[in-house]
């Protein structure tokens, strides 16, 4: 047992000096400033241990960090089979406080020892406030402790297998499970996890449960050339991915990849998740042979022409005792009216896939070049010719609906009609409405367009008369485009908060807005490259709007990135924001605004809690997404090559779609329209208005200081992030109480007359 423990509220001066000198000898602590070493020395406690004493055991829930100042200890990972000696002046136990995880090993003394113990919160505080210390600890975790080795091993095996055209799917499954993705926390347990499973199912071909062989390539295979002429989007749909897939028969499908990296990672990680959950389901059902008989009889009924109904599902599934009511509900959420059919397919398929990934070395069929030719032809159709010398081009990367909905005459001429239809047919939406009436209209519009798909042609024809031309693409790149000639738009048929003002520059040149649908990972780099080659120095601005996982805040918040950080290469790049500030955003939006670095990852499932906490604490990241770094890198390269003007305006804004560190707010949980529409449309309004504002158009592009610049000021310094939380303007005041719950509002400052600082945020009153 420990022999003594000395609490150091008031330390004798000699003891304090001794601790300071000891701390200077400790690995990485040498990088801490003198003033902060004194602060630490005043906070530690000294503990003496006998030999063979367990300081902590594997699996313990505690977060103290220990500094060995006398003696030695042993770090045991596998009951004596794997471990290492801890030497004098080393610290240990830091991972539990940094990554919010149980102890990963048992640490025992090998002889009588003395340790200094510090609270995990104090260690974390030093990481957040001492840049040299933070960098040294982070490098040790990444390079010496190899905390990302499981991700590297998965990617390395996957792409080596692609090169060798020989992939062992069972080995890939094992490597996937070792990653322990944040969205799939029960990957190594027997517990069925349908919330994570539904994420994967929606991103895989709809016939995946009856598929055994998957052929993938960035080039169409010869056997499908004629078929593609008839149906170039494939004959198998994927709910949440624009991906062309063809059924080749006998359990075999072909998938046309959009790129040779991100698309492969996305497909294979989702397939791994699906395979693991399928195996869990098979194991559950196989415990009782009667379950197989029940499902076989259901399959025979369906095969005879009987429709699978909710009653049939209830009759069969209620007899399977191994499935809990939660499991049954989750399975129905996965497959709806084909639940029994797909459960049988999962049983029959056995979960082993034959994967063939063809990476052609001599492919000259560049899908991006085919796509940009369509954009060029559409430019000529809308503008009359393709002459970039008298053209101003503003490019927006967003989605297919927000930009056009805000300026569409077809939409706004029918605003009253659509709103009345919504009130009548969807009163549950109207009654629950916590948002601005304008945003409620766009929510109802989604339901209206889904109910009346035949109106799409009428809408396109009318929008073209007002200078809006849409190109829809589900095949090849999967990226749709809307071209807008602002000279043909009419203010009275635009969103209430949109202000289309003329200015001197546009009197001399034609103006074109190009709205490009979301790119996917690495694809963003190719898309921007093609657009910059097409429009070159006529491009005045590049505006990127997207959704991101939040490492702080809540769903629906807005992220204003100062930098992007490419995780795979640890590549940090600044973002030049033109005319964008938290105050600008706050004037038209009631959501919290966070400023800082945004992390670019290679796949949604290539993240675990360790990775998320690491970049949250060591790089001060406020969010994660998949395209930002590729956008910024290509813009920089185009400027250096002389393709883009060096003064090109750039704006990057994201809204928070999920909180991956919160299991209740991950991507496996659907985003409500109240959380998505208001921040997204507010961002788009801000950007469109800036394109028509003389002051903003000629405003100076500025670099937002990195959060590290703001925060590395020691214990008495400023907050750990440059996050800014601002109240909305008076225009939105009346909607604020409806937009947030009482619980959220209880965290807001009661007095907004003065600036009030809280941990990680400042609240600033807007006087407009």
């Amino acid at each position: 047992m420990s022999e003594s423990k000395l609490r150091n509220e008031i330390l004798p001066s000699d003891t304090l000096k001794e601790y300071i000198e000891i701390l200077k000898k400790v690995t990485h602590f040498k990088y801490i400033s003198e003033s902060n070493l004194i602060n630490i020395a005043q906070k530690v406690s000294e503990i003496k241990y006998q030999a063979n004493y367990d300081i902590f055991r594997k699996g313990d829930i505690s977060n103290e960090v220990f500094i060995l100042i006398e003696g030695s200890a042993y770090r045991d990972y596998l009951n004596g089979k794997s471990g290492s000696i801890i030497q004098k002046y080393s610290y240990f136990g830091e991972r539990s406080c940094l990554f919010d995880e149980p102890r990963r090993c048992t640490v025992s003394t090998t002889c009588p020892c003395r340790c200094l113990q510090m609270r995990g919160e104090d260690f974390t505080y030093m990481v957040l406030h001492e840049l040299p210390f933070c960098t040294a600890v982070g490098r040790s975790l990444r390079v010496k402790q190899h905390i990302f080795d499981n991700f590297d091993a998965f990617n390395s095996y996957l792409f080596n297998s692609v090169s060798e055209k020989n992939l062992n799917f069972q080995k890939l499954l094992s490597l996937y499970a070792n990653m322990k993705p944040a969205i799939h926390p029960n990957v190594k347990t027997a517990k069925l996890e349908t919330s994570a499973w539904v994420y994967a199912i929606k991103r895989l071909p709809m016939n995946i449960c009856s598929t055994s062989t998957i052929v993938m390539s960035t080039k169409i295979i010869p056997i499908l050339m004629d078929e593609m002429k008839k149906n170039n989007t494939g004959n198998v749909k994927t709910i949440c991915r624009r991906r062309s897939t063809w059924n080749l028969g006998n359990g075999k499908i072909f998938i046309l990849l959009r790129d040779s990296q991100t698309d492969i990672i996305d497909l294979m990680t989702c397939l791994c998740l699906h395979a693991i959950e399928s195996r869990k389901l098979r194991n559950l059902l196989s415990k009782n042979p009667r379950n197989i008989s029940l499902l076989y009889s259901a399959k025979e009924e369906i095969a005879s022409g009987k429709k699978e109904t909710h009653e049939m599902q209830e009759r069969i599934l209620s007899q399977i005792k191994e499935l809990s009511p939660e499991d049954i509900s989750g399975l129905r959420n996965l497959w709806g009216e084909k639940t029994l059919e797909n459960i049988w397919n999962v049983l029959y398929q056995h979960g082993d896939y034959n994967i063939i990934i063809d990476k052609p070395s001599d492919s000259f069929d560049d899908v991006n070049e085919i796509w940009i030719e369509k954009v060029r032809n559409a430019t000529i159709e809308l503008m009359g010719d393709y002459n970039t010398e008298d053209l101003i081009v503003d490019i927006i990367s967003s989605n297919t609906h927000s930009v056009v909905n805000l300026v569409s005459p077809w939409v706004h001429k029918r605003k009253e009609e659509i709103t009345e239809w919504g009130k009548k047919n969807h009163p549950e939406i109207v009654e629950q409405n916590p948002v601005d009436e304008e945003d409620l209209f766009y929510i109802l519009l989604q339901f209206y367009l889904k109910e009346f798909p035949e109106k799409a042609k009428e809408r396109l024809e009318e929008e073209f008369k007002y200078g809006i031309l849409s190109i829809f693409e589900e095949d090849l790149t999967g990226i749709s485009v809307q071209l807008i000639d602002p000279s043909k738009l009419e203010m009275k048929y635009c969103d209430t908060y949109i202000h289309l003002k003329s200015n001197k520059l546009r009197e001399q040149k034609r103006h074109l807005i190009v709205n490009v649908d979301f790119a996917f990972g690495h694809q963003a780099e190719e898309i921007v490259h093609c657009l910059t080659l097409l429009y070159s120095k006529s491009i005045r601005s590049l505006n990127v709007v997207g959704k991101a996982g939040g490492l702080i805040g809540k769903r629906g918040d807005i992220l204003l990135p100062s930098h992007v950080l490419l995780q795979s290469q640890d590549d940090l790049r600044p973002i030049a924001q033109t005319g964008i500030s938290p105050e600008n955003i706050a004037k038209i939006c009631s959501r919290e605004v966070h400023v800082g670095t945004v992390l670019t990852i290679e796949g949604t499932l290539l993240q675990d809690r360790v990775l998320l906490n690491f970049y949250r604490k060591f790089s001060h990241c406020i969010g994660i997404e998949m395209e930002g770094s590729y956008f910024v890198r290509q813009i920089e390269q185009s400027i250096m090559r002389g393709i883009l003007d060096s003064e090109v305006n750039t704006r990057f804004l994201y809204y928070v779609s999920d909180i991956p560190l919160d299991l209740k707010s991950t991507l496996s949980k659907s985003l409500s329209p109240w959380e998505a529409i208001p921040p997204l449309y507010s961002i788009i309004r801000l950007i469109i208005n800036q394109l028509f504002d003389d002051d903003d158009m000629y405003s100076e592009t500025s670099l937002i200081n990195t959060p590290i610049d703001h925060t590395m000021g020691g214990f008495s310094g400023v907050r750990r992030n440059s996050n800014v939380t601002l109240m909305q303007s008076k225009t939105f005041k009346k909607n604020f109480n409806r937009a947030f719950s009482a619980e959220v509002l209880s965290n807001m400052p009661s007095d907004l007359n003065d600036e009030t600082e809280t941990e990680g945020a400042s609240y600033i009153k807007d006087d407009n």
Side-chain angles (χ1 to χ4, degrees):
M1 60 178 289
S2 60
E3 294 181 348
S4 65
K5 188 171 183 178
L6 185 64
R7 293 289 180 185
N8 294 317
E9 281 79 12
I10 301 176
L11 283 175
S13 59
D14 289 346
T15 304
L16 181 61
K17 289 179 182 178
E18 179 192 359
Y19 287 172
I20 292 171
E21 290 306 310
I22 288 171
L23 290 172
K24 288 179 179 179
K25 299 175 183 178
V26 177
T27 309
H28 301 149
F29 279 68
K30 65 175 72 72
Y31 300 118
I32 297 175
S33 63
E34 186 77 19
S35 60
N36 282 336
L37 279 176
I38 295 171
N39 217 312
I40 296 171
Q42 291 173 333
K43 291 174 176 286
V44 298
S45 301
E46 183 178 329
I47 311 175
K48 294 181 179 179
Y49 295 103
Q50 294 178 349
N52 302 316
Y53 180 81
D54 291 342
I55 297 176
F56 54 74
R57 296 190 61 80
K58 185 176 181 178
D60 285 354
I61 306 298
S62 59
N63 71 352
E64 295 84 8
V65 177
F66 298 86
I67 300 169
L68 189 62
I69 61 175
E70 190 176 290
S72 65
Y74 183 74
R75 186 185 285 111
D76 183 5
Y77 291 102
L78 290 172
N79 300 319
K81 298 177 183 178
S82 176
S84 60
I85 294 292
I86 302 173
Q87 303 288 355
K88 185 178 179 181
Y89 299 134
S90 298
Y91 64 88
F92 56 93
E94 75 281 3
R95 287 190 54 149
S96 290
C97 70
L98 291 173
F99 304 136
D100 190 25
E101 63 181 19
R103 299 294 188 183
R104 299 175 64 250
C105 61
T106 297
V107 173
S108 306
T109 59
T110 59
C111 60
C113 293
R114 287 172 63 211
C115 288
L116 295 182
Q117 175 185 289
M118 63 187 300
R119 296 187 314 155
E121 293 83 356
D122 293 335
F123 186 88
T124 301
Y125 194 82
M126 295 309 303
V127 166
L128 294 170
H129 289 77
E130 282 279 351
L131 180 55
F133 178 72
C134 168
T135 304
V137 174
R139 182 179 182 278
S140 175
L141 289 165
R142 182 166 185 157
V143 177
K144 297 180 180 179
Q145 297 188 39
H146 310 289
I147 60 173
F148 301 141
D149 269 12
N150 289 330
F151 297 100
D152 295 338
F154 179 89
N155 278 336
S156 177
Y157 177 74
L158 175 59
F159 287 106
N160 283 339
S161 299
V162 170
S163 297
E164 296 169 4
K165 299 185 179 180
N166 180 25
L167 190 147
N168 182 326
F169 186 64
Q170 292 305 316
K171 181 175 180 178
L172 192 70
L173 273 183
S174 176
L175 293 170
Y176 168 85
N178 289 339
M179 293 193 298
K180 300 179 183 177
I183 200 173
H184 196 188
N186 291 307
V187 62
K188 287 198 169 186
T189 73
K191 178 179 171 57
L192 204 59
E193 195 166 12
T194 53
S195 60
W197 198 357
V198 74
Y199 174 85
I201 283 291
K202 287 183 176 181
R203 287 153 182 85
L204 291 169
M206 292 183 72
N207 65 346
I208 194 65
C209 295
S210 57
T211 296
S212 56
T213 299
I214 303 173
V215 182
M216 308 179 201
S217 179
T218 55
K219 183 179 180 180
I220 198 76
I221 56 178
I223 196 173
L224 287 175
M225 287 295 185
D226 291 334
E227 177 68 23
M228 190 176 180
K229 293 174 184 176
K230 295 185 292 182
N231 183 2
N232 59 7
T233 61
N235 52 23
V236 182
K237 297 296 182 184
T238 299
I239 297 173
C240 290
R241 288 284 185 263
R242 294 183 295 277
R243 193 177 278 137
S244 299
T245 305
W246 286 267
N247 186 1
L248 303 179
N250 299 317
K252 188 174 183 178
I253 61 174
F254 172 77
I255 300 175
L256 182 63
L257 299 169
R258 288 173 287 180
D259 76 289
S260 57
Q261 189 155 345
T262 307
D263 227 7
I264 292 176
I265 291 173
D266 182 65
L267 270 165
M268 298 312 300
T269 51
C270 286
L271 187 63
C272 286
L273 193 161
H274 165 66
I276 286 173
E277 293 304 314
S278 295
R279 183 170 60 197
K280 292 180 187 179
L281 180 60
R282 276 193 301 276
N283 291 341
L284 277 174
L285 297 175
S286 299
K287 290 179 179 179
N288 188 341
R290 183 171 178 270
N291 297 337
I292 310 301
S293 298
L294 283 168
L295 291 164
Y296 180 79
S297 65
K299 183 199 72 111
E300 290 294 291
E301 284 186 59
I302 295 167
S304 68
K306 195 168 184 180
K307 185 178 179 182
E308 181 177 332
T309 62
H310 183 85
E311 291 72 21
M312 181 192 293
Q313 293 173 0
E314 183 67 28
R315 172 169 54 84
I316 300 295
L317 297 177
S318 63
Q319 297 181 67
I320 301 177
K321 304 306 178 185
E322 289 76 13
L323 294 177
S324 68
E326 180 185 1
D327 292 335
I328 293 172
S329 174
L331 291 170
R332 282 177 170 162
N333 188 37
L334 274 173
W335 294 307
E337 59 185 22
K338 291 192 174 184
T339 299
L340 296 175
E341 178 184 334
N342 279 308
I343 290 176
W344 176 259
N345 287 336
V346 164
L347 280 170
Y348 190 76
Q349 196 268 342
H350 289 295
D352 197 12
Y353 290 93
N354 179 28
I355 309 294
I356 303 168
I357 304 177
D358 181 28
K359 193 174 181 181
S361 57
D362 61 346
S363 177
F364 298 100
D365 302 324
D366 189 337
V367 296
N368 297 304
E369 288 294 337
I370 297 171
W371 174 81
I372 201 65
E373 183 63 23
K374 294 178 183 178
V375 177
R376 183 182 186 278
N377 292 337
T379 301
I380 295 171
E381 182 181 355
L382 182 66
M383 306 300 288
D385 61 58
Y386 174 65
N387 178 12
T388 59
E389 291 183 2
D390 72 335
L391 194 62
I392 302 168
V393 179
D394 290 304
I395 295 173
I396 303 174
S397 172
S398 62
N399 53 26
T400 57
H401 61 84
S402 53
V403 172
V404 173
N405 283 349
L406 288 170
V407 298
S408 168
W410 186 91
V411 167
H412 291 279
K413 284 180 181 180
R414 292 159 181 78
K415 184 175 181 180
E416 187 175 332
E417 171 195 334
I418 293 170
T419 303
E420 288 304 312
W421 176 89
K423 290 178 179 179
K424 181 179 178 181
N425 292 277
H426 291 279
E428 75 285 358
I429 298 294
V430 178
E431 290 167 6
Q432 293 177 31
N433 173 35
V435 299
D436 183 87
E437 292 297 320
E438 198 80 4
D439 290 332
L440 173 63
F441 166 62
Y442 297 116
I443 293 171
L444 295 174
L445 176 62
Q446 293 178 326
F447 291 95
Y448 182 84
L449 295 174
K450 186 177 180 180
E451 184 72 21
F452 303 105
E454 69 277 5
K455 294 185 180 289
K457 183 179 179 182
E458 170 193 318
R459 175 179 178 173
L460 291 176
E461 290 174 351
E462 183 167 347
E463 286 179 345
F464 184 69
K465 294 177 183 177
Y466 285 85
I468 302 172
L469 175 58
S470 297
I471 309 169
F472 296 105
E473 174 151 330
E474 295 182 8
D475 61 315
L476 302 179
T477 63
I479 295 182
S480 298
V481 183
Q482 290 91 32
L483 303 179
I484 303 172
D485 178 358
S487 67
K488 298 178 182 177
L489 296 176
E490 290 195 26
M491 267 291 296
K492 62 182 178 181
Y493 298 136
C494 291
D495 179 85
T496 304
Y497 301 109
I498 294 293
H499 307 293
L500 305 180
K501 298 187 292 184
S502 62
N503 58 56
K504 295 179 181 178
L505 183 57
R506 277 190 298 275
E507 290 173 3
Q508 302 167 16
K509 293 188 175 184
R510 297 175 299 161
H511 186 196
L512 175 66
I513 297 174
V514 181
N515 181 58
V516 183
D517 198 4
F518 292 134
F520 190 57
H522 280 259
Q523 185 188 35
E525 200 156 15
E526 287 299 318
I527 292 301
V528 173
H529 180 59
C530 290
L531 288 168
T532 55
L533 291 178
L534 179 65
Y535 296 116
S536 190
K537 291 190 177 180
S538 65
I539 297 175
R540 180 182 60 174
S541 71
L542 285 143
N543 308 273
V544 177
V545 176
K547 55 185 178 180
L551 295 179
I552 54 175
K554 60 184 178 299
R555 284 182 166 193
D557 284 358
I558 293 174
L559 307 182
L560 177 59
S562 59
H563 294 72
V564 284
L565 174 59
L566 184 57
Q567 189 274 328
S568 60
Q569 299 173 21
D570 220 23
D571 180 29
L572 182 68
R573 294 171 187 260
I575 293 178
Q577 299 277 16
T578 305
I580 294 285
S581 69
E583 291 81 3
N584 294 139
I585 301 168
K587 287 178 181 178
I588 63 169
C589 185
S590 61
R591 301 308 171 98
E592 294 183 16
V593 180
H594 307 282
V595 182
T597 300
V598 170
L599 180 70
T600 302
I601 57 174
E602 292 192 312
T604 304
L605 289 165
L606 291 184
Q607 50 174 299
D608 64 358
R609 296 184 68 82
V610 169
L611 182 145
L612 296 173
N613 274 301
F614 178 88
Y615 284 102
R616 174 71 187 90
K617 291 170 181 173
F618 287 90
S619 298
H620 299 260
C621 292
I622 57 173
I624 56 172
E625 50 79 65
M626 291 177 61
E627 295 83 26
S629 290
Y630 305 118
F631 277 122
V632 173
R633 186 164 69 186
Q634 187 56 54
I635 291 170
E636 289 178 355
Q637 290 177 358
S638 295
I639 291 172
M640 286 187 284
R641 291 189 182 107
I643 297 169
L644 275 179
D645 193 298
S646 60
E647 299 299 316
V648 66
N649 295 336
T650 55
R651 303 176 184 93
F652 283 69
L653 286 161
Y654 298 91
Y655 72 92
V656 175
S657 61
D658 62 293
I659 309 293
L661 284 170
D662 179 2
L663 292 179
K664 296 180 180 179
S665 299
T666 67
L667 278 174
S668 63
K669 311 294 182 183
S670 297
L671 190 70
S672 76
W674 322 119
E675 295 170 309
I677 292 292
L680 172 61
Y681 276 65
S682 293
I683 290 170
I684 298 295
R685 288 180 183 117
L686 175 63
I687 287 176
I688 292 177
N689 283 337
Q690 292 219 324
L691 302 184
F692 291 88
D693 191 307
D694 279 317
D695 293 332
D696 287 324
M697 186 174 60
Y698 296 110
S699 65
E700 187 175 319
T701 299
S702 61
L703 296 175
I704 300 176
N705 287 336
T706 168
I708 293 175
D709 292 337
H710 281 291
T711 59
M712 296 302 177
F715 277 96
S716 61
V718 294
R719 303 177 306 275
R720 69 182 194 180
N721 288 293
S722 58
N723 305 335
V724 182
T725 305
L726 300 117
M727 300 302 292
Q728 70 292 351
S729 65
K730 292 179 180 177
T731 309
F732 283 84
K733 287 275 198 278
K734 61 186 179 69
N735 301 305
F736 184 76
N737 289 335
R738 290 187 297 166
F740 292 102
S741 65
E743 180 181 354
V744 173
L745 286 172
S746 68
N747 296 321
M748 297 289 183
S750 57
D751 183 5
L752 296 177
N753 292 322
D754 300 308
E755 180 173 336
T756 307
E757 289 198 3
T758 60
E759 176 63 23
S762 66
Y763 295 87
I764 303 173
K765 182 185 177 184
D766 175 54
D767 293 319
N768 292 329

